Amino acid sequence: MALTLNEICHWIDQTALSQAIQVTKWAVPTVQTIHILAIAVVASSALMIDLRLIGVFWADRPMKEVTSRFLPLVWWPLLILLATGILMIIAEPARSLKNPAFQIKMLLLIGALIVTGLFQFLQRRNASFGDLRSGPRAAAATVAIVSMLLWSSIIFAGRWIAYFA
Amino acid sequence: MEIDRALGWLQATPIASAIAENEILFPWIESVHVLAIVLVVGTISIVDLRLLGVASLDLRVRRLMRDVIPYTWGAFAVAAVTGSLMFSSDAVHYAHNFLFRGKLVLLALAGLNMAVFHFIGTGDVQRWDTGTGRAPIAAKAAATISLLLWIAVVAFGRGIGFTMH
């Protein structure tokens, strides 16, 4: 028997963990603070890579240097974001899972992951990707701008969850 | 109190009451505020982690600061403007909120820490800032204080939303 979203929300809401978070007043703001700090690392690291791709920043540094410093900081904190995000869902399942802002945020996140993966793929296949003299400038700038728009939109959608609840 | 009267006047200005009354203005301003603070915290920690000797060791501290800090300031300016706009919409309540007051103190301390590091602590920067040179203990202390203060700023800021109503 397939469960409806309402039933899933109700079931999560009744778990011991959800109940424990709900009665602990400081739990949700603390988890949200960790979530925001992790997104600070992700968004700022992505920004460094994106500005370098466009060429406004660190134009004299090889792309590979910038990527090896910052790309891991786009990927790894996603685990913290996932863990804290799941805790927030467990705390208030209906407020998140049934929320259009949350659903849009997840779609935008998939987009950001695809664009980041695409960048990594393009750089691996073509060593001159991101090279400001001989590399494909338009493609690099497009990837960078789409990445910046997606990460900003994810932050916006995240904040809007509170207003659709 | 005199101050409350001034804040009451601020709250009654057309811009402040528009933010207070319009349903989507506040969330939009708040979203920009979160995006800005995320970039402030993320970019300043790039410099702090270099000072601590954790990352970006291939760049000199002065070079990294010259490259990255302008983005920190730009994002901070946006955070200050959006923060002031949100404050104006409910000035009296914010001014009496413990976490809001604490956040202002933390911001002042972060500014003081930066000023001390910038005007006093970098006196011997020429001597140690060579290639992968390690920063002296005073610079590392400033970096640690900076990281802790900005983490606390995010935590206090997030807490304000939970204690205002």
Side-chain angles (χ1 to χ4, degrees):
Chain A
M1 188 188 82
L3 284 169
T4 66
L5 190 52
N6 276 330
E7 287 167 328
I8 293 171
C9 290
H10 181 73
W11 172 74
I12 296 174
D13 194 74
Q14 296 305 310
T15 58
L17 180 57
S18 180
Q19 295 292 321
I21 299 171
Q22 285 173 40
V23 297
T24 315
K25 273 197 173 141
W26 50 266
V28 168
T30 304
V31 170
Q32 288 185 354
T33 299
I34 297 167
H35 198 75
I36 295 171
L37 290 169
I39 208 129
V41 177
V42 171
S44 300
S45 302
L47 180 71
M48 296 296 115
I49 293 172
D50 294 335
L51 291 175
R52 170 59 185 76
L53 272 178
I54 295 170
V56 298
F57 192 68
W58 281 338
D60 61 327
R61 297 184 74 196
M63 190 69 221
K64 220 169 168 299
E65 260 179 35
V66 179
T67 309
S68 64
R69 165 76 177 90
F70 288 108
L71 200 53
L73 290 178
V74 177
W75 287 121
W76 289 107
L78 291 174
L79 293 175
I80 298 171
L81 287 163
L82 183 70
T84 48
I86 287 173
L87 278 174
M88 285 186 263
I89 293 171
I90 292 172
E92 297 167 296
R95 185 178 177 273
S96 40
L97 294 177
K98 287 161 68 177
N99 193 312
F102 170 81
Q103 292 162 354
I104 291 169
K105 182 180 173 181
M106 290 305 106
L107 291 177
L108 291 165
L109 175 63
I110 292 169
L113 298 180
I114 290 172
V115 169
T116 308
L118 177 72
F119 160 69
Q120 212 165 359
F121 169 77
L122 290 172
Q123 199 192 22
R124 228 173 257 170
R125 207 188 51 170
N126 176 2
S128 76
F129 192 82
D131 190 317
L132 296 170
R133 267 180 238 105
S134 58
R137 290 296 300 277
T142 306
V143 166
I145 289 166
V146 171
S147 161
M148 289 193 286
L149 286 174
L150 282 170
W151 288 116
S152 311
S153 308
I154 287 168
I155 292 169
F156 274 46
R159 191 73 291 264
W160 276 84
I161 291 172
Y163 295 93
F164 277 94
Chain B
M1 247 168 59
E2 255 332 276
I3 283 197
D4 278 350
R5 274 185 53 200
L7 295 173
W9 170 85
L10 174 65
Q11 231 168 279
T13 56
I15 295 179
S17 44
I19 297 167
E21 282 156 26
N22 186 301
E23 276 192 5
I24 61 161
L25 219 41
F26 192 93
W28 273 111
I29 295 170
E30 199 184 15
S31 298
V32 177
H33 189 71
V34 173
L35 176 61
I37 193 99
V38 152
L39 295 178
V40 169
V41 176
T43 54
I44 207 148
S45 43
I46 293 170
V47 174
D48 290 336
L49 292 174
R50 170 64 184 86
L51 287 169
L52 286 170
V54 174
S56 302
L57 292 174
D58 54 332
L59 287 181
R60 293 180 188 202
V61 169
R62 279 168 296 175
R63 163 81 202 273
L64 187 64
M65 286 179 70
R66 200 174 58 230
D67 291 344
V68 174
I69 296 292
Y71 290 91
T72 314
W73 276 118
F76 182 80
V78 174
V81 169
T82 49
S84 303
L85 288 172
M86 288 192 288
F87 173 78
S88 75
S89 74
D90 199 3
V92 176
H93 276 123
Y94 279 115
H96 287 276
N97 181 287
F98 167 75
L99 291 171
F100 178 82
R101 291 178 172 195
K103 185 177 171 182
L104 288 189
V105 172
L106 292 168
L107 286 171
L109 290 174
L112 184 68
N113 178 55
M114 201 156 67
V116 168
F117 172 70
H118 197 76
F119 294 111
I120 304 164
T122 53
D124 60 344
V125 68
Q126 304 252 355
R127 188 179 51 76
W128 56 264
D129 192 19
T130 52
T132 60
R134 299 277 160 162
I137 190 77
K140 286 185 177 171
T144 308
I145 292 168
S146 165
L147 281 175
L148 293 175
L149 283 172
W150 285 110
I151 289 170
V153 165
V154 172
F156 274 53
R158 192 68 287 259
I160 293 170
F162 285 83
T163 51
M164 274 294 282
H165 301 292

